[in-house]
Every structure is written in structure tokens, then in C-alpha cells.
Amino acid sequence: MAAPEPTSGTSPLVQPDLPLPSANTSPRYDPQKVTVVYILGGPGSGKGTQSEYLVRDYGFVHLSAGDLLRAEQDNENSQYGQLIKDYIKDGLIVPMEITVNLLSNAIEDKLGSDGTGKFLVDGFPRKLDQALFFEQSVCVSKCTLFLDCPEDVMRERLLNRGKTSGRSDDNEESIIKRFRTFVETSMPVVDLFEKEGRVITVSAVGSVGEVYEGVVGGLASKGIAPTNK
Ligand code: UDP
Ligand code: MG
């Protein structure tokens, strides 16, 4: 495979487990064998919580972009630790080569021996470049679950979570920045997929159970049924 070609000014990953996907090739995985469903929504919309239920009932492998980045940030051998730390605290989107590489490695790692897999990709793609790059080089997604939530509800949830999460970005200052990034940078991704008819919008206001009912109904409308029930 060709050497990585960073497109947004970062240096190439030093020892990637896999060669970085190239935007000029066809996707690494066939969507007939690898199902990718994105779960998107503003910070605090409940992506992680709903993902737990989806893993239980649908047999998805859960891949949280934020969790993968936090693990990389804490990995002493990573040359990107400080960079990731700074981006997360400021609510900014980490350069896509890093995130796409982490996700691509995680998919490869969790693939069945027959090359199939079902992945719920949480909190990604958050920027148009990531979305296009992932779809062109890793796998075309089946659909996007979009958790629609007003900012005042998200703010309250994040501040509550901040009391115990230990996350550097669950504080007033970071939350304001994350909301701005979500509206300016991430919503255009949802809008693009929406135009392609690939978005399931679910209201994320209410109890976890109420929201989950909407999620299950939305997936059913795309022909995705629970497997573990
Ligand atoms: N992040 C990123 N690229 C991604 C996903 C996350 O750079 O594709 C960074 C970004 O700084 C974001 C932070 O990771 O604000 C936390 O993401 P996470 O999904 O954990 O937050 P959530 O939205 O679930 O509260
Ligand atoms: Mg999350």
C-alpha cells in the first residue's frame, strides 16, 4: 500500500498498525460484509448511553471515536498525546488522519474470521473531511442515527457528568466550545447524509428508555432488527 498522505498538515503516523487508508483507493471493506452505523448528536445527547443498549440488543461492536482518542492520548508511546489533549480540551476536531487510523485499526482488530462485522461508530464523523475520507477509504456506512437534542438539555447532562467523569472537557468553558464546533463543523455532516436519505433522526429528550424506543423504531424503518432478543 502507498505511504500515508496527510492532507491537513499533520506529520504521518509513525508506526501505524495498518497503512493509512488512501483517499484514492476504493474502500477497504465491502459494506455487504461490514456494516457501519454512525451514531451522531451534540455533546451530551446520549450517544454513549444509547450505544450500550444497541450493543446489548443488536450485537454491534461499539467504537467510540472519543474513547479511542482518549486512549491514544494516555498512551505514553504515542507522539500525538499532547496534540489530542489540546484539541479535546478546546472542543476541536483532531486532524482526521489520527482518528480515521484509530478507527480503521479498531475495525480490523474486531473483524470476524470470515471478514464480517457490525460496527456502531459513536461520535464520528464530526467533520466533512473525515466523513468523506472514511467513506472513500474504509467503508461506506449503512446509515446514521442522529440524536436530536436541545443545547440546554445537553448542557445540564454534561455538567452533571462532569462532577464524576474526570473528563477535561466536561466544564462550562469547554462545553461552549464543543457546542460551537458541533453546530459549525459537525452538523454539515448530518445535513449531507440527510440529503442522501441516510439519516434516522430521533428525539434525544426524555428518559433513556423513551429515547431508546425511538432508536429501535428508527432502525426498524431501515430494516435493521435486534438480534439478541
Ligand atoms: N473528537 C475528535 N474527532 C472525532 C471525535 C471526537 O476530534 O471524530 C474529539 C473532539 O475534541 C471531541 C472530543 O473528542 O470534543 C470528545 O468526543 P466524545 O465523542 O467523547 O464526546 P461526546 O460528544 O460523546 O460528549
Ligand atoms: Mg460520548
Side-chain angles (χ1 to χ4, degrees):
M1 266 233 185
E5 282 183 24
T7 51
S8 60
T10 56
S11 54
L13 297 174
V14 170
Q15 290 174 313
D17 299 331
L18 283 171
L20 193 70
S22 154
N24 299 324
T25 58
S26 54
R28 178 175 289 156
Y29 302 110
D30 175 358
Q32 303 292 345
K33 297 181 89 177
V34 174
T35 302
V36 169
V37 172
Y38 301 129
I39 181 162
L40 293 176
S45 58
K47 300 181 293 289
T49 305
Q50 294 298 322
S51 292
E52 284 176 30
Y53 286 78
L54 289 165
V55 166
R56 182 193 66 186
D57 296 339
Y58 291 78
F60 280 112
V61 173
H62 179 227
L63 298 178
S64 157
D67 289 350
L68 289 169
L69 286 166
R70 281 184 285 274
E72 182 72 10
Q73 160 195 303
D74 295 337
N75 174 353
E76 281 173 16
N77 298 322
S78 171
Q79 59 166 317
Y80 296 107
Q82 191 57 46
L83 181 151
I84 294 171
K85 212 169 265 174
D86 294 341
Y87 273 78
I88 287 183
K89 184 119 192 294
D90 283 338
L92 295 171
I93 306 303
V94 172
M96 68 164 179
E97 288 79 6
I98 296 174
T99 314
V100 172
N101 196 59
L102 289 171
L103 279 170
S104 184
N105 286 339
I107 289 176
E108 185 65 25
D109 203 45
K110 297 271 161 61
L111 225 47
S113 50
D114 58 355
T116 67
K118 238 174 117 178
F119 297 93
L120 184 63
V121 177
D122 166 358
F124 174 96
R126 295 261 250 273
K127 194 172 172 179
L128 279 171
D129 66 350
Q130 292 180 328
L132 300 175
F133 188 50
F134 184 91
E135 299 259 317
Q136 281 167 10
S137 64
V138 182
C139 192
V140 175
S141 63
K142 186 167 175 75
C143 59
T144 295
L145 266 168
F146 173 54
L147 298 183
D148 194 10
C149 198
E151 278 190 9
D152 55 336
V153 174
M154 296 195 285
R155 178 178 297 106
E156 201 187 316
R157 289 177 184 169
L158 290 171
L159 290 174
N160 259 324
R161 184 173 80 182
K163 291 176 194 160
T164 52
S165 70
R167 274 178 54 164
S168 63
D169 57 350
D170 283 345
N171 58 75
E172 284 278 5
E173 207 187 326
S174 294
I175 289 169
I176 290 169
K177 293 177 180 170
R178 288 159 73 194
F179 284 164
R180 189 179 312 137
T181 298
F182 178 69
V183 172
E184 292 175 359
T185 310
S186 304
M187 269 316 284
V189 175
V190 178
D191 294 340
L192 172 73
F193 291 147
E194 174 72 53
K195 279 197 202 108
E196 299 171 353
R198 296 201 286 154
V199 175
I200 303 163
T201 298
V202 175
S203 167
V205 183
S207 69
V208 173
E210 285 163 354
V211 176
Y212 189 56
E213 268 180 41
V215 167
V216 171
L219 286 174
S221 75
K222 291 276 175 196
I224 303 177
T227 52
N228 303 338
K229 263 197 164 166

